[in-house]
Amino acid sequence: MREARADLPLLVCLAVLVALLTAVAAAGPGLLDRLAGRALASRLEQEQRAEPGIRLGAQFEPARGGGSDAWTSDLAEDLRPVTEVLVNAAPGALNGGLVHDSTRVALPTLSTETAAGKVGLGLVYASDAPGRVSYAEGRPPDPDGERVEIAFSTRTRDALRLRLGQQLALRPGALRNVEATAVVVGFYTADGEAAEKGEGAEGAEGTGRGEGAGRAEGAEGAERAGRTEGAGGAGRAEGAGRAEGVESAERADRAEGAGRAAGERADASGGGGRLWRELPALVRPSRHPPRSAAGLDWEARALVAPRTVTALQTQAGATLTVTWGMRLDPDPRTAARFADDQGQRELRRLLTAYPDDARTVFCGDIADFGGMYCEIGPHPASTLRDSTHLPDVLTDFGRQWRQGRVVISFALASLLVVGLLAANVTALLAVRRNLDAHRLQRARGASATGLALTRAAQTAPAVLLGLLAGIAAARSLPGPAPAYPRGLLVAVLVWLLLPALTWHALRERAVRTGHDPAPYAAGRRVVAEAAVLLLAAAGVFALRTRGTAGEAGPDPLLAAVPALLGLATVAVLVRVYPLPVRALARWSARRRGVVTLVALSRAAKEAPARALALLVLVVTLAGAVFGGLVAGTLADGRRAAAAWQVGADASYLGAGRNPDIAERLGQVRGVDDTVTVRQLRVDPTSATSGNRYGVASLVGVDGARLRAAAPGSTAARALDAAGLTGPRSGKDIRVLATGARAGDVFLLASHGRELRLRVVGALPDDVRHDAALGPVRGTTPVRERMMLADNRDLTAVDASDFEGTALLLYGPRLDVRALRSLVPRVTDDTALGELRVRSEEQADAAADGMIDVLRSAHTTCTALAVLLALLALVLELLLSAPARGRTTAYLRTLGLGDRATSGLHLLQLLPMVLAAVTGGTALGLTLPALLGPALDLREFTGGPAAPTPHPDLPLTAALGVGLGVLVLAAVGVETWIGRRRGLGAVLRLGRNGD
């Protein structure tokens, strides 16, 4: 019973370790799948924030026989069965993850006039339009009405000086043959947070105002004005009352019910936020520059009811396009199933097949020859056309997740290694505590094997209990079934540690030699260290050459590398760190006092015995530093990549094709400076030898303007230093070039002319990575050679010859919504170009779920590893406490005080701690370089080059301080225990060495 109570702490510690390690090993593959699914779902949500993942569209003509009464056709009812067919065609393997997002029809612009001037007005029907609760004034357009009713945003109301009940004459614009009068029936809120999330403070305020307006619907004009004065002003409310007071109560009730239903649908699909993001012109109008070629002052969008669409279509005899948005929103289990390589291939196949399946169920197997062979209710329609960017999203995700799996697998492997080391220290402590009793049993005839089997039997219940607890913990997690063989293997390994160490300590050779060093021990140590170094080098070489395994779960090679690198680092540290310690001991011998000499001498002598504690600390610190390094590098790299993609505070790609849009963007509030950047693909030849220079990128920049807008731009500084921003002399195009010497002249053929490129200097290397050049250089393949010129020298090059032209917009307070009203983030008009905003790109980078998954997974593993390392270190201190106690007892017999005893303990442990911190930090910082191609962080960040490593200095400092605090606590405890313990408890006659 006494032995059982003595072994109880050991059994409890062993059971906890087995439970934790079994749970990690068994749940590891499933954990990777769940994390991958979480990252995939987050990536899909982020990529579909600007537009649905799949768009299906069909053209349709006016209804047959609808000319007699254009208001009889209800487009919403005609579209509903088609929508149901498209939803039902979604693959069953997606488990309902492909959902209908919206159905929209946009009419070409019409011409009208308000108090603010001439307006190009586009009308939009959207099934996800906000309901009545989002209206600050009035109501949504009546779906059963038989007149043209339109609704604007409150910002459009203020810009165009509109009022509730105002009648607008609609005249032909891009939509021909239309003569109608539209009535403004409502103003919805779509500003601030509502524009981003479909809800917010202003949206909530608009809810109350809209409800007040709804209650006033159909009442007397004066009463309506009194109730809605707080919503839109008394003047507008009175006008609304006169305009709307004549409507019947029944009609108002229908409109209110329809608006409430639309609001419920909008709330279910994320509110109006997606609609505002995809059609920002519905939020705010855009202003045309004076004397615009279009002859307009403003361009705006308004919401209409579906009957209005068909009525105007019938009047114009126009062919319109309806677009269905389908959003891929898988549940966690489905996302995890499609997250690995095989699942991604299957998901890509399903997404490729879905449009064909939808086309078949919509109209049969009819090829798209441009005819109207299908039907949408009474409307002749074309077959479906589709567009999707999800396959590209899956390709990028798969490439990045392979790298993310390396980071997470490395964290799991480090955790398992530290756990096994903690179990090893626990077993060593148990062997030490029972070594005298076991040696006595050996002297009485017991065999080492029998005693080892006895210890195995004694610990089997604790191990079994830990195994069951670990398996139960792994089973409790959602997702696939645990990897039972992995968990069982780890449990058996931990279980066998104590019997193996017991047998090793009691074997015949150990009993005979006792404390004396074994023959050839030094040679065996050298061989073991050389083998560890070779194995570590071989593991790193194999990982760099082969990469990581593609199957789910931890990679065995990747799991072995942390232990091998930790062992190699410890082998080097054990050989190296005693050298300066011995030097300090010799220096202290010349000074007064014996504490420093004894402590440093014993620290240097006992360095090999501290190898296990060193290994625990090195692996833990290396894993933590590596995780912090990856997280910091990814965060800074994503910001740098966003700056490279945008080039400035905002940039417009397509300025060469749309100079009018570029001019209007430059006049938006908040834009202080604009710079034009252009790129031309050239393959010039030498004017003297005729040799080819090679395919290169000739980049033109407004050097002086760039220097003023971005003084830190390396391209601007290089142009200014070379004198290329000054007046041009001659007709030669002056360039800075790579791989050429100053004075070289190259010839370039252009439309039957021969242009001369004169090199005035070498192009600095850092110019190639200048963010100002990113918008044009990032859209083409990377070319080894590059030339840089000022745009003033490129006037002889036709504008149509440039591969890309970007307008860089600088300003600390850009009006992003005004910019987006000109160039939406998503548009079907590819000729409109692309607007990139740095704040949006950086927000997307910060919201990337994969980075969050990596950070949370590595943080969890690091926290568990640190706890296990602390446990192992405490056990190691207990293991070595008797030796330090005897040393202290010797010195106490010579009169050593308590303060000197504390200093002795501290100096004896300090070299090991410093060596562990140095080795672990160095290993963690060099791991990305050691892993090489197996971990390419550029896959996460993009940009012109691999991201610069940025270690997490606060985390590293915190780990070092924590380790120091632990050592101080251990010193204090040992000093306290030594003060209470008598010398006879430590020094006994007859013991070896006493």
Side-chain angles (χ1 to χ4, degrees):
M1 183 62 68
R2 183 183 302 173
E3 293 181 358
R5 284 198 303 268
D7 286 341
L8 185 60
L10 164 68
L11 298 178
V12 172
C13 184
L14 200 60
V16 171
L17 287 174
V18 170
L20 177 60
L21 297 180
T22 300
V24 171
L31 176 63
L32 281 176
D33 289 342
R34 286 190 296 275
L35 292 176
R38 176 180 158 192
L40 176 60
S42 175
R43 177 62 57 84
L44 290 174
E45 191 276 333
Q46 183 178 17
E47 292 294 337
Q48 296 177 103
R49 192 173 298 166
E51 64 172 333
I54 300 177
R55 287 180 179 269
L56 302 173
Q59 294 180 320
F60 65 98
E61 295 177 343
R64 298 187 183 95
S68 58
D69 187 359
W71 295 95
T72 57
S73 176
D74 188 347
L75 182 60
E77 293 297 328
D78 298 336
L79 292 173
R80 186 170 290 113
V82 180
T83 302
E84 293 177 357
V85 166
L86 299 181
V87 171
N88 294 334
L94 294 179
N95 196 23
L98 189 62
V99 297
H100 173 246
D101 179 77
S102 61
T103 303
R104 297 174 188 164
V105 181
L107 279 73
T109 57
L110 295 165
S111 178
T112 189
E113 191 167 350
T114 69
K118 295 181 179 180
V119 180
L121 181 61
L123 304 180
V124 178
Y125 160 66
S127 65
D128 56 336
R132 183 162 208 146
V133 295
S134 296
Y135 276 72
E137 291 184 80
R139 56 172 176 78
D142 185 1
D144 297 327
E146 295 186 358
R147 64 173 182 172
V148 179
E149 297 181 348
I150 56 179
F152 292 93
S153 69
T154 53
R155 187 179 288 271
T156 305
R157 173 199 66 190
D158 298 336
L160 301 185
R161 305 177 198 172
L162 299 171
R163 67 180 185 277
L164 202 64
Q166 181 177 349
Q167 296 183 352
L168 300 178
L170 303 182
R171 298 292 180 261
L175 184 63
R176 304 292 182 182
N177 305 322
V178 171
E179 296 287 341
T181 299
V183 179
V184 180
V185 298
F187 299 112
Y188 51 83
T189 56
D191 291 331
E193 192 175 358
E196 297 298 326
K197 303 178 182 177
E199 58 186 8
E202 189 170 349
E205 184 181 349
T207 298
R209 294 196 297 257
E211 290 177 352
R215 289 193 299 269
E217 196 72 41
E220 295 295 330
E223 182 180 356
R224 179 187 178 94
R227 290 188 184 181
T228 59
E229 182 176 353
R236 289 197 300 272
E238 289 176 0
R242 289 192 296 270
E244 302 293 335
V246 298
E247 294 188 1
S248 65
E250 179 183 358
R251 184 184 182 114
D253 291 341
R254 284 201 309 269
E256 185 174 357
R260 188 178 297 111
E264 292 172 357
R265 290 194 301 270
D267 292 340
S269 63
R274 291 172 181 164
L275 178 61
W276 312 144
R277 284 192 295 267
E278 296 175 27
L279 296 175
L282 285 171
V283 178
R284 61 183 300 161
S286 60
R287 188 157 197 166
H288 283 257
R291 298 177 299 278
S292 170
L296 299 173
D297 299 306
W298 295 87
E299 188 168 334
R301 296 290 184 272
L303 293 173
V304 296
R307 289 182 186 272
T308 299
V309 174
T310 53
L312 295 179
Q313 180 192 31
T314 302
Q315 186 179 6
T319 299
L320 302 180
T321 300
V322 57
T323 302
W324 290 272
M326 305 296 292
R327 190 174 299 275
L328 183 58
D329 187 18
D331 59 78
R333 186 181 296 272
T334 304
R337 182 158 51 90
F338 289 117
D340 60 4
D341 293 342
Q342 182 178 355
Q344 291 169 28
R345 289 191 294 268
E346 176 65 14
L347 181 57
R348 193 177 293 109
R349 185 191 66 80
L350 294 175
L351 294 177
T352 303
Y354 168 69
D356 294 332
D357 296 338
R359 194 175 294 112
T360 299
V361 298
F362 169 65
C363 195
D365 295 325
I366 297 179
D368 185 10
F369 294 116
M372 299 293 177
Y373 305 111
C374 309
E375 291 183 347
I376 298 178
H379 300 269
S382 68
T383 187
L384 288 179
R385 297 171 185 174
D386 65 276
S387 64
T388 179
H389 63 286
L390 292 183
D392 295 335
V393 172
L394 288 177
T395 300
D396 294 340
F397 172 82
R399 192 169 57 248
Q400 293 180 5
W401 179 247
R402 280 190 286 272
Q403 304 301 321
R405 189 169 54 197
V406 173
V407 178
I408 298 178
S409 298
F410 202 91
L412 289 173
S414 299
L415 175 58
L416 288 174
V417 169
V418 174
L420 291 175
L421 291 175
N424 191 25
V425 176
T426 304
L428 283 175
L429 182 61
V431 171
R432 176 67 61 84
R433 290 173 62 90
N434 293 275
L435 185 59
D436 292 340
H438 286 160
R439 283 179 174 172
L440 181 60
Q441 290 175 328
R442 285 280 285 133
R444 293 175 178 176
S447 67
T449 304
L451 292 174
L453 292 176
T454 301
R455 294 298 281 167
Q458 291 172 348
T459 57
V463 173
L464 181 60
L465 181 62
L467 174 63
L468 295 177
I471 293 297
R475 285 176 58 87
S476 65
L477 297 175
Y484 297 111
R486 295 176 185 266
L488 181 60
L489 178 62
V490 171
V492 171
L493 184 60
V494 174
W495 178 48
L496 294 178
L497 281 175
L498 180 57
L501 293 175
T502 301
W503 177 86
H504 183 270
L506 298 177
R507 70 193 191 282
E508 294 293 338
R509 181 181 301 175
V511 173
R512 287 198 308 268
T513 57
H515 292 281
D516 298 331
Y520 312 109
R524 285 198 297 269
R525 177 185 171 188
V526 172
V527 172
E529 291 173 346
V532 166
L533 294 175
L534 289 176
L535 284 175
V540 171
F541 177 78
L543 196 59
R544 291 172 63 94
T545 303
R546 188 212 67 178
T548 56
E551 70 270 5
D555 184 357
L557 179 60
L558 191 63
V561 166
L564 292 175
L565 290 176
L567 285 171
T569 304
V570 169
V572 174
L573 288 176
V574 169
R575 287 289 184 179
V576 171
Y577 93 80
L579 301 179
V581 175
R582 291 193 184 100
L584 288 175
R586 287 193 295 269
W587 173 80
S588 64
R590 296 193 295 267
R591 303 176 63 86
R592 296 181 59 184
V594 71
V595 173
T596 304
L597 173 63
V598 172
L600 294 179
S601 298
R602 291 194 64 85
K605 181 181 179 181
E606 296 176 355
R610 299 287 178 266
L612 191 57
L614 267 177
L615 183 59
V616 172
L617 295 176
V618 164
V619 173
T620 304
L621 290 173
V625 171
F626 172 68
L629 175 66
V630 170
T633 301
L634 291 182
D636 293 339
R638 293 297 292 269
R639 287 193 292 268
W644 168 261
Q645 292 173 353
V646 179
D649 297 304
S651 61
Y652 175 52
L653 280 69
R657 298 189 304 269
N658 299 280
D660 180 61
I661 297 294
E663 180 184 1
R664 294 168 65 184
L665 288 171
Q667 296 175 354
V668 169
R669 179 167 56 91
V671 177
D672 297 335
D673 298 287
T674 60
V675 178
T676 301
V677 181
R678 301 184 290 180
Q679 179 173 268
L680 177 68
R681 180 186 181 276
V682 296
D683 188 7
T685 57
S686 174
T688 55
S689 64
N691 295 330
R692 291 181 55 202
Y693 173 73
V695 177
S697 295
L698 174 58
V699 180
V701 183
D702 295 335
R705 298 176 66 90
L706 181 60
R707 186 65 185 271
S713 170
T714 54
R717 290 203 302 264
L719 289 174
D720 187 64
L724 300 188
T725 57
R728 180 183 179 186
S729 60
K731 297 182 178 181
D732 291 352
I733 299 176
R734 302 165 299 172
V735 298
L736 298 173
T738 59
R741 295 173 296 179
D744 289 349
V745 178
F746 296 94
L747 303 179
L748 176 66
S750 175
H751 299 285
R753 297 173 300 165
E754 198 170 62
L755 304 179
R756 290 170 55 89
L757 307 176
R758 180 163 54 88
V759 179
V760 298
L763 183 71
D765 292 337
D766 53 357
V767 172
R768 301 168 66 93
H769 300 158
D770 190 351
L773 312 182
V776 293
R777 295 201 63 219
T779 57
T780 58
V782 179
R783 299 173 182 132
E784 291 186 11
R785 297 182 179 272
M786 176 181 166
M787 294 180 170
L788 182 66
D790 194 277
N791 275 331
R792 294 184 301 177
D793 285 15
L794 300 178
T795 54
V797 181
D798 292 343
S800 59
D801 291 343
F802 287 98
E803 288 180 300
T805 302
L807 180 68
L808 306 183
L809 308 174
Y810 291 92
R813 295 179 178 85
L814 295 180
D815 191 342
V816 177
R817 295 194 186 96
L819 296 174
R820 283 295 175 205
S821 66
L822 293 171
V823 184
R825 197 163 191 181
V826 178
T827 177
D828 295 330
D829 185 5
T830 56
L832 184 59
E834 179 185 2
L835 176 67
R836 299 175 180 175
V837 182
R838 178 185 293 178
S839 60
E840 293 179 346
E841 299 293 335
Q842 291 181 344
D844 289 345
D848 189 356
M850 183 175 292
I851 305 299
D852 292 338
V853 165
L854 296 182
R855 185 180 291 110
S856 60
H858 209 284
T859 300
T860 302
C861 291
T862 300
L864 291 175
V866 168
L867 292 177
L868 290 176
L870 293 178
L871 174 63
L873 186 59
V874 169
L875 295 177
E876 171 65 22
L877 292 176
L878 292 176
L879 192 63
S880 57
R884 290 194 301 276
R886 285 194 297 272
T887 302
T888 306
Y890 294 147
L891 296 177
R892 286 177 61 192
T893 59
L894 301 177
L896 190 70
D898 292 339
R899 181 177 300 179
T901 301
S902 300
L904 177 67
H905 291 318
L906 179 62
L907 289 176
Q908 195 169 345
L909 294 175
L910 190 60
M912 181 198 70
V913 173
L914 294 177
V917 171
T918 303
T921 304
L923 180 59
L925 294 177
T926 57
L927 271 176
L930 292 175
L931 295 177
L935 180 63
D936 185 7
L937 296 182
R938 188 177 176 181
E939 294 289 353
F940 294 99
T941 60
T948 304
H950 286 83
D952 192 343
L953 297 180
L955 174 63
T956 305
L959 291 173
V961 171
L963 186 58
V965 170
L966 178 66
V967 170
L968 290 177
V971 168
V973 170
E974 283 203 42
T975 303
W976 179 77
I977 293 176
R979 187 186 304 121
R980 295 175 58 88
R981 184 172 50 195
L983 297 180
V986 179
L987 300 179
R988 294 182 181 178
L989 296 177
R991 175 177 294 181
N992 292 338
D994 286 358

